[in-house]
Amino acid sequence: MRAAIYTKYGPASVLSLAEVPRPVPTDTQVLVRVFAATVNRTDCGFRTAEYLISRTFTGLVRPKRTICGSEFAGEVVAVGAAVTNYNVGDRVFGFDDVRPGAHAEYFCVAADGPMAVIPEGRDYYEMAAAGEGASYALSVIEAAKLLPDHKVLVYGASGAIGSAAVQILRSQGIHTTAVCGTKGYEAVKKLGPTVLINYECEDFMKATDRFNLIFDAVGKQTYGAVRSLLAPKGMYYSTEPGPGWQNPFLAVGFALLGKRNVIFPIPKINQATLTKIKDMIIEGSFAPVIDRSYPLSDIVAAATYVESAQKIGNVVIEVVPRDQIQ
């Protein structure tokens, strides 16, 4: 089968297309024929090993798993002997940031892992982009324990995580101020935030509201830089550890003082989360935002674009071209 592989850490150029053996599912796995995947920040972070701590589970010197890709959508083509919750022919989507391998024509996934059946009427290319951003956004929003009268600011609202957060907050009736640049402005406007700020034209730090949660979905701010915008007992969350890994340290420090000024929850990437995302899609409260698509053969170009920090929402990989699906 064809797969995008990397045998050493580095920039997008370390990726290449190769023929590799088709995986065989264990008794507790299903084999998915992958129709679509994405390239996301999770994939890029594992490939570059920018945060050296990630090497403790991806491989100290070189990657232990050479096929990249954490988000996928496809069809179950084989099931392990002990699998009872999926059948051959099921259309599924998922996000596995522990055992990547979705940038390939076939991918083995644990039957009890972060995967769910695709809702009727949804295609593989939309659903491939449904897992990562929404999983991270949902985990943070749930950890924040927001109340109906709370206000939230989402910085970086045009990315995969930020655009998911805006939609989830809107569906909960939370007053949401979305901050993005000019390129993503119209896309975020369609998501229906209460207030929309283009940071290229307006200083979001001059906002008159005080926020119960500042959700930094691109990891470009710090608690110190934005804490003047927080309400009393307001919380700051960033998708990045921050300079000197300050965010997890601040979260622990405040917790020891009985405070939640900075939160850094561990994302819940599991079947329950994917099922919640599926339900949100069915009820119309969430739909992944898609920027553009690339064929699997253009994996280097796709990863390069994602790392340019210019993408709006998600970048999809067409493992099987759309016009080849019957």
Side-chain angles (χ1 to χ4, degrees):
M1 69 171 187
R2 293 186 310 152
I5 67 168
Y6 66 114
T7 57
K8 61 182 179 180
Y9 296 116
S13 58
V14 303
L15 293 165
S16 63
L17 211 60
E19 286 289 332
V20 300
R22 181 189 298 189
V24 177
T26 67
D27 285 351
T28 58
Q29 291 180 323
V30 302
L31 179 65
V32 176
R33 183 190 179 193
V34 180
F35 286 94
T38 70
V39 177
N40 52 51
R41 285 168 57 191
T42 300
D43 303 331
C44 294
F46 286 159
R47 190 197 69 245
T48 63
E50 175 185 359
Y51 298 119
L52 296 181
I53 193 172
S54 69
R55 296 191 185 206
T56 59
F57 53 90
T58 62
L60 292 176
V61 178
R62 61 183 62 86
K64 292 185 290 187
R65 301 179 68 92
T66 58
I67 301 176
C68 48
S70 55
E71 270 185 299
F72 64 93
E75 181 182 340
V76 175
V77 294
V79 298
V83 174
T84 59
N85 55 335
Y86 290 102
N87 298 299
V88 171
D90 284 347
R91 301 169 66 245
V92 295
F93 76 103
F95 168 55
D96 193 336
D97 62 349
V98 176
R99 295 169 295 273
H103 291 167
E105 293 177 317
Y106 294 89
F107 182 34
C108 283
V109 186
D112 63 351
M115 181 171 62
V117 173
I118 293 175
E120 289 294 328
R122 305 290 178 169
D123 67 36
Y124 296 112
Y125 305 96
E126 175 189 13
M127 295 305 300
E132 188 224 24
S135 290
Y136 289 151
L138 188 60
S139 292
V140 175
I141 292 168
E142 289 181 341
K145 299 177 181 178
L146 298 168
L147 299 176
D149 62 342
H150 280 176
K151 295 182 178 181
V152 177
L153 182 143
V154 179
Y155 185 87
S158 62
I161 300 173
S163 60
V166 170
Q167 293 179 72
I168 295 168
L169 291 164
R170 180 201 62 193
S171 71
Q172 296 179 0
I174 302 292
H175 183 289
T176 304
T177 295
V179 181
C180 66
T182 301
K183 184 179 179 183
Y185 189 89
E186 290 302 321
V188 176
K189 184 178 180 181
K190 294 177 182 178
L191 304 180
T194 314
V195 178
L196 178 57
I197 297 174
N198 181 344
Y199 67 79
E200 295 181 45
C201 304
E202 182 181 354
D203 185 359
F204 78 96
M205 288 297 297
K206 293 181 179 179
T208 56
D209 286 315
R210 290 298 173 263
F211 301 97
N212 303 94
L213 172 66
I214 293 179
F215 190 146
D216 181 1
V218 287
K220 293 185 177 179
Q221 298 297 322
T222 64
Y223 168 69
V226 301
R227 66 178 179 177
S228 63
L229 290 178
L230 288 171
K233 298 184 179 181
M235 298 165 285
Y236 170 75
Y237 168 79
S238 173
T239 56
E240 295 291 330
W245 281 70
Q246 64 177 266
N247 293 324
F249 286 120
L250 284 171
V252 171
F254 279 120
L256 291 174
L257 296 173
K259 300 179 180 180
R260 302 184 74 220
N261 300 66
V262 176
I263 60 173
F264 204 75
I266 298 174
K268 298 176 182 177
I269 312 300
N270 52 37
Q271 198 164 87
T273 297
L274 269 293
T275 300
K276 288 180 183 178
I277 293 169
K278 171 187 173 180
D279 292 342
M280 290 191 298
I281 290 171
I282 292 172
E283 69 187 23
S285 59
F286 167 67
V289 174
I290 295 175
D291 183 326
R292 60 180 68 177
S293 299
Y294 292 83
L296 182 61
S297 58
D298 284 347
I299 188 69
V300 173
T304 299
Y305 179 61
V306 170
E307 291 180 331
S308 74
Q310 296 299 308
K311 73 178 179 69
I312 306 302
N314 300 271
V315 170
V316 172
I317 298 297
E318 295 187 12
V319 180
V320 177
R322 294 172 187 262
D323 58 6
Q324 292 184 18
I325 295 183
Q326 297 179 350

